Amino acid sequence: MRTIIERLVGEALTRRIPETVPRNVRVKKMPGKVSVLTGMRRSGKTSLCFQTMQGLLASGVPRERLLYLNFEDDRLAEVRVGDLQWIIEAFYGANPALKEQTCWFFFDEIQRVPQWELFVRRVLDTERAEIMLTGSSAKLLSREIGTAMRGRSLTTEVFPLSFREYCRFQDVHIPVRPVYGDRDRYTLAKAAEGYLRTGGFPEVQTCEEDVWRTVLQEYADVVILRDVIERYGLSNYAAAKALARHVLQNSGQLMSVSRLAVSFSQAGIACGKSLLFDVLEHLHDAYFCFPVEVHDRSLKRRQVNPKKVYAADTGLCRAFSSGLTADRGAALEGLIYTALRARGLHPDYVVTPQKTGVDFVYEEAGAWHFVQACWSLADAGTAAREFRGLADALPLHPKASRTVVTWNEAGEREGVRIVPAWRWLLEEGQR
């Protein structure tokens, strides 16, 4: 293993750092602490490592002081924690003078190495080094960091592209000031349509439709195999795949795991509800999906009531459907959820005493906000339902702002702001 590691370090030190399209993600950094990037596979964690490396080069840091290693390289499949010391030996062996200078180590998907945290802690304590780690398992990283690093890490969550970043990838102009002429509104509305269809995974932004679908389906398969089946030693691949597909095809819907277990068994997929609960938790851990609880002060009622489960990306949902979506409103709702979640918010859904509802409620900077997702308010019955839910929920937080996000309608009604999706997404991306 020593020879393999020495060869990989040598290759890494001479390899050109790839150029990337800049992301708006602010990576949390502090001297003496490890920067940790977590998020679903292919969401852009590696690109952020390269973006950070390019920034260091631009600031005058010599290339030889930067080391990037990807632990999903098949040549590192058998590496053990004791072998990791050869990374340090090979790095400083190539240039002993670097021992007296600050160097930067970027370790991608390092959680594949058991007890990796012991090595990282030692390097942090004994070398003049800044370290950035990435991983596709929030729970695994946080548990290991929490026990071995003891407060010496800062975690940044990385999600697929925001709408602003999507526009940058697609060369769509966004006015510097939020003043939009007719041409701007048309262009940004078209971009929002593309964003809803394509999703935010960086790699697929320029793919043809058939390639795009295949790539995203492979993303899902890798999450199921590596982040659920292999990582947790499960054997029921059919049940895990069926649950993942159900999440993607029913994003934003209330989920009853007990009913799903019965349904899967009737379809010939033998599984119990305890297994499905575990798989759902593992999918959440891998940022594949996100459960949303009912808004209630009672912890027991929050736990007992069914959860809505949102997929990580609208493009990923469409890759497993025959069209954009059977319900465009559901796709819009998913877009809103992922935008809020990417900002670090954890919205709830609301069921009022009158049995009406609000899609999202969240608190930010001491202020409460209600948000409804509605593709169109043209139908009088639909509009009445959306506004009635907001009115019924207001006693919960009387000073809360109220917003209906539509596809292309704007205005104000009954104290509720109506805003088109493209504009709401741009506003959220600036916060």
Side-chain angles (χ1 to χ4, degrees):
M1 184 55 68
R2 178 178 181 175
T3 302
I4 293 173
I5 288 176
E6 288 176 345
R7 184 182 305 123
L8 289 175
V9 170
E11 292 175 0
L13 290 173
T14 56
R15 187 179 300 119
R16 178 177 172 275
I17 300 172
E19 297 286 344
T20 63
V21 177
R23 297 287 304 269
N24 295 339
V25 179
R26 186 179 68 85
V27 178
K28 298 173 186 176
K29 303 174 185 176
M30 185 175 176
K33 292 184 181 290
V34 175
S35 293
V36 182
L37 306 181
T38 62
M40 184 177 157
R41 293 173 181 274
R42 313 308 299 173
S43 59
K45 302 185 297 296
T46 300
S47 294
L48 275 173
C49 287
F50 294 147
Q51 182 176 317
T52 303
M53 295 172 78
Q54 290 288 359
L56 289 168
L57 290 177
S59 70
V61 175
R63 173 66 180 88
E64 62 267 20
R65 288 161 63 184
L66 309 177
L67 176 68
Y68 167 85
L69 285 179
N70 183 359
F71 283 87
E72 291 208 315
D73 188 313
D74 65 287
R75 291 170 291 182
L76 293 175
E78 302 301 321
V79 71
R80 297 292 179 264
V81 65
D83 300 322
L84 298 180
Q85 175 58 24
W86 299 120
I87 297 173
I88 305 303
E89 297 286 346
F91 179 78
Y92 290 116
N95 191 341
L98 295 181
K99 274 276 190 180
E100 305 304 319
Q101 304 175 55
T102 300
C103 298
W104 283 261
F105 298 134
F106 300 82
F107 298 140
D108 212 343
E109 298 291 344
I110 194 172
Q111 82 277 354
R112 291 179 62 84
V113 183
Q115 297 185 306
W116 60 267
E117 67 277 10
L118 302 177
F119 163 74
V120 170
R121 175 62 188 263
R122 179 166 58 81
V123 172
L124 200 63
D125 288 341
T126 60
E127 309 293 346
R128 297 183 61 177
E130 298 290 335
I131 301 174
M132 180 176 287
L133 311 177
T134 81
S136 54
S137 171
K139 184 186 300 179
L140 196 59
L141 283 173
S142 63
R143 181 173 66 243
E144 292 168 337
I145 289 172
T147 55
M149 305 303 294
R150 292 191 289 276
R152 299 190 62 185
S153 65
L154 293 171
T155 299
T156 301
E157 293 183 312
V158 181
F159 294 88
L161 301 177
S162 69
F163 180 53
R164 279 187 173 272
E165 292 171 327
Y166 171 86
C167 288
R168 183 180 301 146
F169 265 69
Q170 301 292 346
D171 251 348
V172 175
H173 172 69
I174 301 174
V176 176
R177 297 177 58 195
V179 178
Y180 306 101
D182 290 343
R183 184 172 183 178
D184 292 326
R185 287 194 291 269
Y186 173 79
T187 300
L188 291 167
K190 289 292 290 182
E193 182 180 348
Y195 182 53
L196 188 72
R197 293 176 57 85
T198 304
F201 284 100
E203 188 180 38
V204 300
Q205 293 305 311
T206 57
C207 290
E208 296 294 331
E209 178 78 9
D210 58 336
V211 176
W212 163 89
R213 187 180 297 273
T214 299
V215 170
L216 289 183
Q217 289 176 349
E218 288 177 353
Y219 284 2
D221 287 340
V222 171
V223 169
I224 295 165
L225 283 170
R226 292 192 179 178
D227 298 331
V228 176
I229 299 298
E230 292 179 9
R231 181 169 292 158
Y232 295 99
L234 303 181
S235 58
N236 197 333
Y237 173 76
K241 185 171 183 177
L243 181 58
R245 181 180 289 270
H246 177 86
V247 167
L248 294 176
Q249 293 177 338
N250 297 274
S251 181
Q253 301 301 307
L254 293 172
M255 178 180 289
S256 169
V257 173
S258 298
R259 291 179 182 175
L260 274 180
V262 173
S263 176
F264 288 172
S265 295
Q266 291 174 344
I269 303 172
C271 61
K273 65 179 183 180
S274 60
L275 172 65
L276 294 185
F277 273 118
D278 288 343
V279 171
L280 185 61
E281 184 178 353
H282 300 331
L283 290 172
H284 178 207
D285 174 45
Y287 289 86
F288 184 85
C289 62
F290 305 94
V292 174
E293 296 181 337
V294 69
H295 189 62
D296 200 298
R297 289 188 177 90
S298 167
L299 178 60
K300 181 178 180 180
R301 285 195 291 269
R302 290 176 69 91
Q303 293 175 337
V304 169
N305 275 276
K307 294 177 175 61
K308 288 186 174 183
V309 180
Y310 289 90
D313 180 73
T314 57
L316 197 61
C317 293
R318 192 170 73 88
F320 283 83
S321 69
S322 56
L324 174 58
T325 176
D327 182 349
R328 295 180 299 178
L332 176 60
E333 187 177 328
L335 208 62
I336 293 170
Y337 175 80
T338 54
L340 292 173
R341 184 64 185 80
R343 283 180 45 217
L345 300 171
H346 297 266
D348 296 333
Y349 72 91
V350 176
V351 177
T352 71
Q354 296 86 354
K355 303 304 178 184
T356 56
V358 177
D359 294 324
F360 305 110
V361 60
Y362 61 94
E363 184 183 18
E364 185 176 29
W368 285 93
H369 306 272
F370 291 113
V371 177
Q372 292 280 47
C374 182
W375 188 266
S376 173
L377 296 171
D379 178 76
T382 298
R385 183 177 65 250
E386 301 294 342
F387 286 98
R388 186 166 57 250
L390 288 167
D392 292 344
L394 195 56
L396 293 172
H397 302 289
K399 296 182 179 180
S401 71
R402 294 178 294 163
T403 303
V404 177
V405 180
T406 69
W407 189 243
N408 58 18
E409 294 157 274
E412 186 172 338
R413 172 178 163 181
E414 302 173 17
V416 177
R417 184 187 180 211
I418 304 168
V419 59
W422 63 265
R423 184 159 195 155
W424 185 88
L425 288 167
L426 290 178
E427 291 172 352
E428 293 305 301
Q430 282 186 316
R431 294 176 187 266

